Amino acid sequence: AGVLRARLFFDLLPLLTKTTAAGLAPVFVLLDWRAGRRTGKTVIPFFALAGIFTVIAFLGKEHTLGVLDPLTLGLVASRSVLFLIGKLVVPIGLSPIYAVTGDVIMTSVSWIALTGLVMIVFVVTRTTRKTRDIAFGWWFFFLTLAPNFFNVLKGGDIFLTTDRYAYLPSVGALFLLGLGLRKLCVANGTFSPARLRAVVAWSTAVAVMFVVIAARQTRVWQSSQTLFAHAVLLDPDFYLGHYFLGNTLRARGLTDIAVEAYKASIIRQPKSARTHAHLAHAYAEQGKRTEAAVEYGV
């Protein structure tokens, strides 16, 4: 009983910070499956906690969240999974905003991603004949990422994903990485010290490279201005990047530049009422009442 209460407490902590931690509930079942244990009734409180916080989250965001049809949701989810796997392997070109532009269903990338995801699931399922470890790592990644699939539509805009969605799922990815490195240290069924030294050397080189990439990325996060300026450079066609950049510039008193950012946003999404409203505010601050009235719709 004491162990169960402790597990519930430590399951509650991440739920209090981020509802996406609801994906941890099925992980307890996954842990039992990997160990060959039968899952008992002790998992029920974890699923109950996850359900409660999920309902609270949806009620709190009912005005900003939308619902995608199953096909579109499946295609976006497939792209999100493969996209984040790519970013974990090659963490460059990171942005606070990864938008889906164009028609999701009519884009070949969506169907290629879905096909790729199906192939991964097929291969992972086949590996369970020999070991459950690979399937455990994969399903840990997928199940902890899955709650974010219902958060991709906000205010009518579809977001592929954000980097923070991968924080918890990356544990599963790192588990798979550990399996791979351990496999590389074995030759002809026995542990090889020579291979271990080679793995350590290569792992160290990769770690140093990632440290350099992380150090460069911290410059992007120095301020909201540098963050959204970077987002615009990575995806010039996404109107919200220009919109958020305009808001940041206005807050710093750089109204003239903010106006240009808002204009760039409107070019890409002419029907965005909030962008027109903020552009009107900026014009008013400049004393351009006629231009402001036009944007206000007067």
Side-chain angles (χ1 to χ4, degrees):
V3 174
L4 177 60
R5 286 194 293 269
R7 289 176 64 181
L8 280 171
F9 173 74
F10 286 110
D11 183 54
L12 176 63
L13 292 180
L15 284 170
L16 290 172
T17 59
K18 200 69 177 175
T19 312
T20 50
L24 284 173
V27 168
F28 291 113
V29 178
L30 196 61
L31 285 166
D32 289 334
W33 174 79
R34 176 174 176 256
R37 297 189 299 262
R38 184 175 180 180
T39 301
K41 296 180 179 179
T42 55
V43 301
I44 295 177
F46 298 100
F47 280 91
L49 273 178
I52 291 171
F53 278 86
T54 300
V55 170
I56 293 174
F58 274 98
L59 290 177
K61 295 183 177 181
E62 61 179 347
H63 298 297
T64 58
L65 293 180
V67 179
L68 294 174
D69 62 89
L71 176 58
T72 303
L73 179 59
L75 292 173
V76 173
S78 300
R79 289 174 61 175
S80 178
V81 170
L82 297 188
F83 182 83
L84 284 177
I85 290 175
K87 290 298 181 184
L88 286 173
V89 176
V90 185
I92 58 176
L94 303 179
S95 171
I97 301 173
Y98 298 113
V100 176
T101 54
D103 191 318
V104 175
I105 296 177
M106 298 304 294
T107 304
S108 60
V109 173
S110 299
W111 293 99
I112 292 173
L114 180 61
T115 303
L117 182 61
V118 171
M119 291 178 62
I120 290 174
V121 172
F122 174 76
V123 172
V124 167
T125 303
R126 293 291 298 271
T127 63
T128 56
R129 297 180 179 180
K130 295 183 178 180
T131 176
R132 294 184 175 183
D133 287 343
I134 295 176
F136 172 80
W138 160 253
W139 288 114
F140 186 106
F141 177 85
F142 187 82
L143 290 174
T144 51
L145 180 62
N148 299 292
F149 298 155
F150 301 96
N151 197 30
V152 296
L153 182 61
K154 299 179 181 179
D157 298 303
I158 300 178
F159 293 84
L160 184 61
T161 185
T162 65
D163 291 330
R164 65 179 181 274
Y165 289 176
Y167 293 165
L168 183 58
S170 64
V171 175
L174 291 173
F175 177 82
L176 291 173
L177 175 63
L179 290 178
L181 293 178
R182 185 179 66 179
K183 187 72 174 178
L184 290 175
C185 293
V186 176
N188 299 321
T190 60
F191 173 76
S192 171
R195 285 199 172 196
L196 174 61
R197 289 191 293 269
V199 167
V200 170
W202 279 103
S203 299
T204 301
V206 172
V208 170
M209 180 182 66
F210 280 5
V211 167
V212 173
I213 293 174
R216 295 184 60 183
Q217 187 66 23
T218 55
R219 302 175 186 174
V220 175
W221 291 85
Q222 286 181 353
S223 66
S224 297
Q225 181 177 335
T226 57
L227 180 64
F228 289 112
H230 179 71
V232 167
L233 287 174
L234 290 177
D235 190 357
D237 293 328
F238 187 45
Y239 80 99
L240 278 181
H242 297 276
Y243 167 76
F244 287 128
L245 178 59
N247 288 347
T248 301
L249 293 168
R250 260 189 70 217
R252 298 190 61 185
L254 302 174
T255 309
D256 293 343
I257 308 177
V259 166
E260 298 306 316
Y262 290 137
K263 287 181 179 179
S265 179
I266 290 173
I267 289 174
R268 290 158 176 81
Q269 178 51 276
K271 297 181 180 180
S272 175
R274 59 179 172 178
T275 309
H276 282 285
H278 280 77
L279 177 56
H281 298 335
Y283 277 141
E285 292 170 2
Q286 292 177 321
K288 298 178 179 180
R289 297 184 178 182
T290 302
E291 290 85 344
V294 171
E295 296 301 326
Y296 281 130
V298 177

